[in-house]
Amino acid sequence: PKYAVHPAVEMTQRSIATLKEKSGRSLEEWITLGKKQGPKDRAALVQWFKTEHGQGTNWAGDLADRVLGKDTGWGDSAQEYLAQAVEYVDGMYAGGKAGLRPLHDALIELGLSMGKDVRICPCSTIVPLYRNHVFAQVKPSTRTRIDFGLALGDTRGSDRLIETGGYAKKDRITHRIEITSAKDIDATVKKWLKAAYDRDNTPTVSRR
């Protein structure tokens, strides 16, 4: 119940809803066309959708996966994604990483405490925290450590605030703090999480 629909799922829903109007074909019609006339190789099929039919890179890839019967990841509905989100998180902490689950839950609770606009949108290997963009993420990196990622731009790192190189690569997550026990979720973590949340105060319009 804490999870929100991932922005990528929302974009897919909007794209499908307006596909007929914008492209002249429904999703089912595009899939049928791809199966009948498109190449069988995925890379070639993506390129075919792009060059022959003017589809953008992301949507061409999505269509290619559907034509070839591949898993597109999160499904086309909020219900499908939210069910998958629970499985993602449970899977991350299965087996040897099970002992990290309480730390994960504590970090999620801390993230939600930043404001009512915080959304938790799990992926298969990380759990991003959104405001307008991703401002933090929880990633179980080893059996004994969670890397708590933060979007802090060109902030200078410190002993605990480790620069990831993300700023130079224009990634959202630019720093991380290693969490190995409950005592690591301290005032320092709260300070930097609040800084990341406060930085992300400009809405953006997602485009496919």
Side-chain angles (χ1 to χ4, degrees), residues 50-99:
K50 291 170 62 177
T51 58
E52 298 295 325
H53 297 285
Q55 299 301 308
T57 299
N58 289 343
W59 189 241
D62 193 301
L63 285 173
D65 286 338
R66 293 170 190 273
V67 168
L68 297 174
K70 295 181 180 294
D71 183 8
T72 56
W74 297 326
D76 297 330
S77 72
Q79 291 78 9
E80 286 180 54
Y81 167 75
L82 291 174
Q84 187 67 62
V86 174
E87 295 179 12
Y88 283 152
V89 176
D90 288 344
M92 271 184 249
Y93 297 99
K97 295 182 179 179

Side-chain angles (χ1 to χ4, degrees), residues 1 27 44 88 100 106 118 134 142 149-150 158 173 204:
L27 176 62
Y88 283 152
L100 294 174
V118 174
V134 176
T142 72
L150 299 163
S158 62
I173 299 300
T204 187

Side-chain angles (χ1 to χ4, degrees), residues 11-177:
M11 283 193 291
T12 297
Q13 290 176 308
R14 288 195 296 268
S15 295
I16 291 174
T18 60
L19 192 58
K20 179 81 171 182
E21 176 185 351
K22 292 182 177 179
S23 70
R25 291 185 176 91
S26 67
L27 176 62
E28 292 74 18
E29 290 169 339
W30 276 113
I31 292 172
T32 298
L33 178 69
K35 288 180 177 179
K36 288 183 176 179
Q37 300 182 19
K40 304 306 179 186
D41 174 75
R42 185 185 185 279
L45 185 56
V46 171
Q47 193 62 31
W48 182 75
F49 276 124
K50 291 170 62 177
T51 58
E52 298 295 325
H53 297 285
Q55 299 301 308
T57 299
N58 289 343
W59 189 241
D62 193 301
L63 285 173
D65 286 338
R66 293 170 190 273
V67 168
L68 297 174
K70 295 181 180 294
D71 183 8
T72 56
W74 297 326
D76 297 330
S77 72
Q79 291 78 9
E80 286 180 54
Y81 167 75
L82 291 174
Q84 187 67 62
V86 174
E87 295 179 12
Y88 283 152
V89 176
D90 288 344
M92 271 184 249
Y93 297 99
K97 295 182 179 179
L100 294 174
R101 185 62 185 264
L103 300 180
H104 166 94
D105 292 344
L107 289 169
I108 294 301
E109 289 295 337
L110 181 61
L112 289 170
S113 75
M114 294 294 106
K116 293 182 178 180
D117 55 352
V118 174
R119 294 171 293 148
I120 311 299
C121 306
C123 302
S124 59
T125 60
I126 60 173
V127 180
L129 284 67
Y130 285 82
R131 189 181 185 188
N132 295 302
H133 314 80
V134 176
F135 69 93
Q137 71 179 26
V138 179
K139 180 179 181 180
S141 295
T142 72
R143 293 188 174 197
T144 60
R145 187 185 86 231
I146 287 176
D147 282 335
F148 192 39
L150 299 163
L152 291 169
D154 60 352
T155 299
R156 186 183 297 275
S158 62
D159 289 342
R160 291 192 63 199
L161 186 67
I162 302 167
E163 294 183 47
T164 64
Y167 181 71
K169 295 183 291 186
K170 298 183 179 180
D171 292 338
R172 283 294 302 168
I173 299 300
T174 56
H175 298 73
R176 65 183 176 89
I177 297 177

